[in-house]
């Protein structure tokens, strides 16, 4: 679980997005965190402390003078064993208070009294005009200068009926941001290009040739690289997965499209990770119209031509980024992995035994380099992705 053992103080301020805080509480707890809810008086107009207590399974604090804390100092006690404070939703008024160090209720006092190293994450939520207001933007600039972490906001349709910046991020996006806040920034300032998923080679407008890749490993690596502070571009074949928050995703179908997108985006990248299961062959005589059965006639004859090797093309560039390849083998992983790394001319190749790991949440990996191979034992794909990102960061540093 991504937040196992973490204690989060979740602050709610006045805004209609308070309803999303209920879902966020559940998501944080499901990820292993314990959640201590603190609400401003305004927040209690939008969602009740009873609801938040039921979901967080802990007493909710709303009052600076709450006598339930032994020494009667909830503004001190509630944060001393916390791992992060998350304010979601964070109103324009609360942003103003934080920017000026106000201490006129429990939540604002608790923020000012927090230990200096305790991360404070804010998820702004307000009407577009309130967000764009010069005073709000001045306060936001001040908070950024103070090193406070802003999660969003997003643009889109708002509860008031207007459209624009100021929507709070969705609970699952906030969860990704909270998880990311705890990851070391091993790839800070780096640009990472990743391919993921299967490719799809058309036979006719209805049918095509694809493979069993789900995209899970590539998406997990994209998420892990973003968590580590990288600027991530994900070139993805068709998958059912949602884009990791903060990752720039470009959708493609065929190997040729994937090749063209990669080659036009590879300039300026520091790392290229080819996780996609790319079709080696495409159908040269694909039909423009649906191929009909025509009872009694011969089966259609497909003619194949070779697709470009994306990884090999990138590895052959004069200013090539640090290249990492993947190999899914059905047998002899050690022999094939070693040979494939040398053939592709890349410093690192990650092998796994397919197809039984395709679509699964767990995997085990062998990493091949010029000295031999090391293994990452069976684990959750997201955990393996973080291990791999740390390994790549270490090698780049060296
Ligand atoms: N790859 C690629 N472009 C291709 C084929 C493969 O970029 N046209 C990349 C994959 O993303 C992976 C690595 O090359 O990182 C190895 O892919 P794999 O399919 O295992 O190997 P192939 O090179 O296709 O060799 P073979 O089919 O003989 O196993």
């Amino acid at each position: 679980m991504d937040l196992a053992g973490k204690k989060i103080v979740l602050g709610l301020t006045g805004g209609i997005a308070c309803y999303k805080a209920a879902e966020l509480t559940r998501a944080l707890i499901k990820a292993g965190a314990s959640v201590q809810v603190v609400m401003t008086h305004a927040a209690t107009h939008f969602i009740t402390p009873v609801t938040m207590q039921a979901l967080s399974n802990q007493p909710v604090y709303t009052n600076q003078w709450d006598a339930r804390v032994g020494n009667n100092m909830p503004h001190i006690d509630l944060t001393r064993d916390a791992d992060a404070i998350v304010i979601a939703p964070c109103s324009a008024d609360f942003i103003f208070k934080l920017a000026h160090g106000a201490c006129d209720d429990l939540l604002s006092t608790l923020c000012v009294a927090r230990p200096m190293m305790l991360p404070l994450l804010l998820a702004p939520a307000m009407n577009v005009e309130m967000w764009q207001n010069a005073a709000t933007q001045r306060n936001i600039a001040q908070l950024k200068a103070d090193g406070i972490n802003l999660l969003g906001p997003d643009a889109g349709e708002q509860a008031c009926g207007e459209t624009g910046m100021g929507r709070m991020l969705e609970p699952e996006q906030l969860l990704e941001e909270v998880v990311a806040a705890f990851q070391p920034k091993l790839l800070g300032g780096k640009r990472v290009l990743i391919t993921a998923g299967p490719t799809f080679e058309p036979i006719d407008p209805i049918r095509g040739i694809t493979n069993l890749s789900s995209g899970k490993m590539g998406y997990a690596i994209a998420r892990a690289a973003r968590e580590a502070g990288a600027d991530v571009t994900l070139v993805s074949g068709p998958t059912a997965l949602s884009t990791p928050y903060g990752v720039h995703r470009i959708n493609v179908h065929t190997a040729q499209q994937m090749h063209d997108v990669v080659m036009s985006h590879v300039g300026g990248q520091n790392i290229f990770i080819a996780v996609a299961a790319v079709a080696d062959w495409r159908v040269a005589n694909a039909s423009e119209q649906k191929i009909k059965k025509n009872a009694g006639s011969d089966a259609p004859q497909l003619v194949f031509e070779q697709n470009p090797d994306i990884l090999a093309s990138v590895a052959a560039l004069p200013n090539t980024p640090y290249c990492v390849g993947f190999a899914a083998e059905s047998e002899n992983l050690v022999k094939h992995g070693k040979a494939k790394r040398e053939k592709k001319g890349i410093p690192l190749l990650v092998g796994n035994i397919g197809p039984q790991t395709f679509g699964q949440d767990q995997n085990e990996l062998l990493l091949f380099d010029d000295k031999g191979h090391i293994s990452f034992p069976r684990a959750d794909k997201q955990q393996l992705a973080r291990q791999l990102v740390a390994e790549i960061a270490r090698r780049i540093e060296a």
Side-chain angles (χ1 to χ4, degrees):
M1 288 197 287
D2 287 340
L3 294 175
K6 299 284 187 228
K7 182 177 173 192
I8 310 286
V9 173
L10 177 62
L12 276 66
T13 70
I16 188 65
C18 273
Y19 79 93
K20 294 186 188 174
E23 201 58 55
L24 175 62
T25 304
R26 289 181 66 102
L28 291 168
I29 289 173
K30 213 171 148 199
S34 70
V35 178
Q36 171 62 67
V37 175
V38 179
M39 300 171 72
T40 64
H41 178 68
T44 64
H45 285 280
F46 293 91
I47 190 165
T48 69
V50 174
T51 301
M52 296 309 295
Q53 177 165 351
L55 293 173
S56 65
N57 202 23
Q58 300 208 53
V60 169
Y61 290 86
T62 58
N63 179 1
Q64 198 162 353
W65 313 110
D66 196 313
R68 284 175 296 177
V69 173
N71 60 6
N72 215 326
M73 295 187 201
H75 66 293
I76 307 288
D77 274 29
L78 294 181
T79 62
R80 287 307 178 258
D81 61 346
D83 296 292
I85 304 175
V86 179
I87 313 281
C90 188
S91 65
D93 181 57
F94 201 75
I95 285 169
F96 156 74
K97 283 193 192 180
L98 281 178
H100 293 82
C103 300
D104 63 354
D105 63 6
L106 174 57
L107 190 57
S108 56
T109 311
L110 172 153
C111 287
V112 174
R114 75 187 188 284
M116 215 196 303
M117 299 310 287
L118 182 64
L120 174 56
L121 314 171
L122 309 182
M126 67 199 72
N127 166 269
V128 53
E129 299 296 345
M130 291 176 89
W131 173 255
Q132 286 171 352
N133 183 275
T136 307
Q137 288 304 313
R138 247 191 341 263
N139 293 331
I140 287 287
Q142 182 60 55
L143 292 181
K144 283 184 182 165
D146 292 347
I148 290 173
N149 215 330
L150 288 171
L151 317 181
D154 211 347
E157 214 174 284
Q158 303 197 309
C160 54
E162 296 184 358
T163 305
M165 266 318 242
R167 257 174 71 104
M168 188 168 86
L169 297 188
E170 296 303 323
E172 62 274 18
Q173 297 174 326
L174 289 174
L175 175 67
E176 290 203 33
E177 288 291 73
V178 174
V179 171
F182 290 111
Q183 299 304 322
K185 302 298 167 222
L186 300 172
L187 293 180
K190 297 277 189 280
R191 297 183 65 204
V192 181
L193 182 63
I194 299 171
T195 65
T199 55
F200 182 91
E201 302 297 334
I203 294 172
D204 69 18
I206 312 278
R207 309 174 179 98
I209 298 172
T210 185
N211 59 63
L212 288 173
S213 168
S214 65
K216 281 185 180 174
M217 195 66 222
Y219 278 56
I221 293 169
R223 182 177 289 111
R226 158 96 203 323
E227 287 173 354
D231 174 347
V232 180
T233 303
L234 176 66
V235 185
S236 174
T239 74
L241 303 173
S242 48
T243 311
Y245 180 69
V247 165
H248 174 52
R249 168 171 161 187
I250 304 171
N251 290 326
V252 296
H253 276 89
T254 65
Q256 185 66 53
Q257 289 167 354
M258 188 174 271
H259 171 271
D260 296 349
V261 170
V262 165
M263 296 317 277
S264 65
H265 284 76
V266 73
Q269 300 286 343
N270 303 99
I271 301 166
F272 175 58
I273 311 177
V275 196
V278 185
D280 291 325
W281 304 90
R282 64 173 168 261
V283 180
N285 59 342
S287 171
E288 277 185 24
Q289 302 302 331
K290 186 182 176 196
I291 301 170
K292 304 300 277 182
K293 193 158 55 222
N294 291 340
S297 71
D298 290 342
Q301 300 295 311
L302 299 181
V303 178
F304 290 95
E305 63 187 338
Q306 201 158 6
N307 275 321
D309 188 318
I310 305 167
L311 178 56
S313 310
V314 172
L317 290 171
N319 281 324
T320 183
Y322 184 84
C323 286
V324 182
F326 263 72
E329 304 291 344
S330 58
E331 56 168 0
N332 291 334
L333 179 57
V334 172
K335 184 170 150 232
H336 289 314
K338 187 172 177 297
K340 198 167 276 185
R341 187 193 75 80
E342 282 160 15
K343 194 177 92 188
K344 302 261 179 185
I346 53 174
L348 191 64
L349 183 122
V350 183
N352 59 158
I353 286 286
Q356 58 268 44
T357 58
F358 285 7
Q360 303 299 311
D361 289 331
Q362 291 206 328
N363 205 350
E364 54 187 287
L365 305 176
L366 278 189
L367 270 63
F368 298 87
D369 63 12
D370 57 352
K371 295 188 187 66
H373 65 269
I374 55 168
S375 79
F376 286 178
R378 174 163 287 276
D380 195 77
K381 283 183 176 173
Q382 193 57 61
Q383 202 179 315
L384 287 171
R386 290 193 187 113
Q387 269 178 270
L388 180 62
V389 161
E391 186 66 31
I392 293 170
R394 194 179 62 74
R395 285 165 188 263
I396 289 179
E397 211 53 45

